[in-house]
Amino acid sequence: MKLTPLVFAAVLLLAVAAWAAAQEPAPAVEPVVVTAAATPEEEAAVAQLVAMLPTIQPLDTSCINCHQDAELLQQLAEEPEVVEKLSEGSG
Amino acid sequence: MPPLEVWEKVLINADAVQKDVHGYIPCTQCHGGQNVDDKTAAHEGLVRDPSADALTACGSCHKNIAPYQEYSLHYNLAGYDTVLYQRSMPENHPVIEEGQSYHCNDCHATCGQCHISQPTSVGGGLVNGHTFTRTPSMSRQCTACHGSRVKNEYTGAHEGIPADVHLRQARMTCTDCHTGDDMHGTDYVLTGEIPQHRYDGAQAPACEDCHRDDIAIGQGNEYHDAHGTEVLSCQVCHSTTYINCTDCHLQQSDEGVPFYRLEHEELAFTIGRNPLRNSQRPYRYVPVRHVPTFPDLFAFYGEDVLSNFDALPTWTYATPHNIQLRTPQTESCESCHGNDDYFLTPDKVPEEFRAANAAVIVPFAPPLPERYEYRPGQETAPAGSTDPLDAPPVDPLDAPPGS
């Protein structure tokens, strides 16, 4: 049969694979078990990150609401005292 | 551009601000104050210009720029100290500082005055709804401060004098020639030197940066070929009539409002010897401009403050911003050579200022070198040329020959 060399090769490969699998060492990494509470440094870092969250969006809504409202700004604007231009000549 | 109304100055464009990366920082983190609806309470403890302390306001992110703020002449105004201190004595420096504290406060350029607001000197006000713009506006930021001298020259505001060719022909703005590094003080990283004056260090920019090909010897431009690039600054031929100021007095009104009075302004074009000659500015001759300094500049604040007045010339190295292809002094070789009208000859300097100006006064206009003959492509300084600077020193108080 023409396929004989191929079948032979397949069987050989399987045998080699089985041998290789048998040689594999046991997994080196033990599953992590949390034993201790976070250190103060770690807690501070998390707190800092949480504190930064509001900065993701502009939260100073009062500032923005007023400063984007042209009508309100006109009402609140205080005209500065007109200061006479005293200087003479191009400065 | 009409002046902004008071309310327009503080109107933000909330949509644009929210798209700007800086919109993620709360207003109060930069400006202080409080996030409440009542105006007075909201403004308690407000900082109008957070970028006066750039390290705090911008430094956490702009680590390549903010730490160098204090090295920027725009921020520290060291250029003024440099020239005033040289004209004075150490014991008078406190009086100078006092005068400056009244007259120079609005001139310090913070980051905000180039990237966010109009300068304080024109009353502030947001330029672009509180977005942080990369390229400062020529008309609303740069010339709001450089308003009289540079702006008038560059835009051709003086009657009969055309605008700078770079504006007319190429629509160039200030920042096409002047870079951020030049303004930020960050050149310190490269040079290790802190500039003390606007003409310290390399020319920034140099005309050659863009015109190297135009000035190469041997292109058939007799003017360029005869002088090379080290005898005359480009402006000696390519700039024209500019403003000169004299006799400035700093004063205060009865109410204590500081102001100045400039007695005299004159349009002129004057070539003098180069008072700052060095390897980076090798020219023997440059245009010189009269600056508004005056022995009595600080008279309001103290007596004889500029006690060392003669230490520096009152006609100073100049780079006028009104570049032209052709100018009156280049109509022919002889419109300049031998023509005292364009040179700072002793008769143009009042006697009491001749000592201060000894370094810039030209005894007489240099004649066209005898036996000069144009051979294209070759610099031609014939033997026996009459060079006034090679002549034995002339007492500037003597009348110039032929006058």
Side-chain angles (χ1 to χ4, degrees), chain B residues 138 154 164-178 210-211:
Chain B
M138 171 157 86
Y154 196 63
D164 193 294
V165 66
H166 298 98
L167 181 64
R168 273 190 290 120
Q169 239 161 262
R171 291 288 176 240
M172 285 166 72
T173 62
C174 314
T175 48
D176 286 324
C177 283
H178 295 290
C210 302
H211 291 295

Side-chain angles (χ1 to χ4, degrees), chain A residues 55-64 67-70 73-74 76-80 83 86-91, chain B residues 6-7 10-12 14 18 23-24 26-29 34-37 39 43 148 253 257 259-262 265:
Chain A
T55 68
I56 303 289
Q57 42 173 288
L59 273 193
D60 287 346
T61 43
S62 299
C63 310
I64 296 173
H67 277 275
Q68 67 171 330
D69 186 338
L73 287 178
Q74 282 175 65
L76 292 172
E78 293 161 34
E79 284 302 324
V83 185
L86 294 164
S87 295
E88 293 168 26
S90 34
Chain B
V6 180
W7 62 272
V10 297
L11 178 65
I12 68 171
Q18 276 173 33
Y24 292 92
C27 318
T28 49
Q29 186 170 316
Q34 297 172 72
N35 180 38
V36 293
D37 286 339
K39 181 185 165 192
H43 285 185
S148 48
S253 68
V257 180
F259 69 99
Y260 63 84
R261 220 175 63 233
L262 203 51
E265 294 173 281

Side-chain angles (χ1 to χ4, degrees), chain B residues 79-395:
Chain B
Y80 295 100
D81 293 344
T82 299
V83 293
L84 288 171
Y85 288 175
Q86 277 184 63
R87 290 195 168 101
S88 176
M89 299 284 181
E91 59 267 30
N92 293 335
H93 293 181
V95 186
I96 293 179
E97 270 162 41
E98 191 207 339
Q100 287 178 316
S101 73
Y102 290 107
H103 295 272
C104 307
N105 264 352
D106 288 352
C107 312
H108 297 265
T110 61
C111 326
Q113 315 227 320
C114 278
H115 291 295
I116 302 159
S117 278
Q118 297 183 141
T120 312
S121 54
V122 295
L126 296 167
V127 167
N128 207 354
H130 208 304
T131 48
F132 288 56
T133 36
R134 181 190 175 97
T135 309
S137 153
M138 171 157 86
S139 59
R140 296 183 61 188
Q141 283 159 328
C142 305
T143 60
C145 286
H146 297 286
S148 48
R149 207 162 41 78
V150 179
K151 178 189 175 191
N152 289 344
E153 282 165 15
Y154 196 63
T155 59
H158 297 297
E159 217 185 304
I161 303 164
D164 193 294
V165 66
H166 298 98
L167 181 64
R168 273 190 290 120
Q169 239 161 262
R171 291 288 176 240
M172 285 166 72
T173 62
C174 314
T175 48
D176 286 324
C177 283
H178 295 290
T179 64
D181 285 343
D182 195 17
M183 318 269 115
H184 292 151
T186 42
D187 278 349
Y188 173 78
V189 180
L190 298 175
T191 62
E193 273 164 36
I194 304 171
Q196 300 297 327
H197 185 264
R198 58 187 65 178
Y199 292 123
D200 269 3
Q203 299 182 44
C207 310
E208 285 94 327
D209 294 347
C210 302
H211 291 295
R212 200 165 296 283
D213 295 341
D214 299 317
I215 52 169
I217 300 291
Q219 304 206 358
N221 182 327
E222 191 177 355
Y223 291 81
H224 290 177
D225 287 359
H227 303 91
T229 53
E230 303 207 337
V231 177
L232 310 175
S233 75
C234 311
Q235 287 89 343
V236 167
C237 287
H238 286 291
S239 74
T240 186
T241 312
Y242 46 84
I243 199 90
N244 294 270
C245 304
T246 29
D247 302 4
C248 184
H249 299 262
L250 300 176
Q251 281 173 332
Q252 290 186 11
S253 68
D254 295 343
E255 290 82 40
V257 180
F259 69 99
Y260 63 84
R261 220 175 63 233
L262 203 51
E263 303 284 350
H264 192 62
E265 294 173 281
E266 193 189 3
L267 282 167
F269 176 82
T270 319
I271 304 167
R273 291 161 65 186
N274 178 1
L276 304 177
R277 206 167 167 201
N278 60 33
S279 61
Q280 281 150 329
R281 303 169 193 274
Y283 320 111
R284 292 209 241 169
Y285 292 83
V286 296
V288 287
R289 188 197 298 267
H290 200 279
V291 289
T293 189
F294 188 62
D296 280 349
L297 180 67
F298 283 92
F300 183 88
Y301 295 95
E303 245 174 68
D304 203 20
V305 174
L306 301 183
S307 47
N308 197 15
F309 190 79
D310 289 350
L312 291 175
T314 60
W315 296 82
T316 63
Y317 186 103
T319 49
H321 282 71
N322 53 17
I323 303 300
Q324 316 292 337
L325 179 61
R326 294 307 297 241
T327 51
Q329 71 271 23
T330 56
E331 255 165 39
S332 71
C333 308
E334 261 113 2
S335 47
C336 185
H337 280 283
N339 181 0
D340 280 356
D341 287 354
Y342 288 125
F343 287 84
L344 187 67
T345 45
D347 56 299
K348 298 198 183 72
V349 184
E351 227 174 287
E352 66 269 32
F353 293 117
R354 289 207 190 136
N357 288 292
V360 286
I361 291 176
V362 181
F364 53 91
L368 189 65
E370 273 172 60
R371 300 188 300 282
Y372 169 79
E373 200 188 310
Y374 182 48
R375 281 172 285 141
Q378 235 171 302
E379 276 189 68
T380 327
S385 70
T386 7
D387 178 347
L389 300 193
D390 292 341
V394 183
D395 183 345

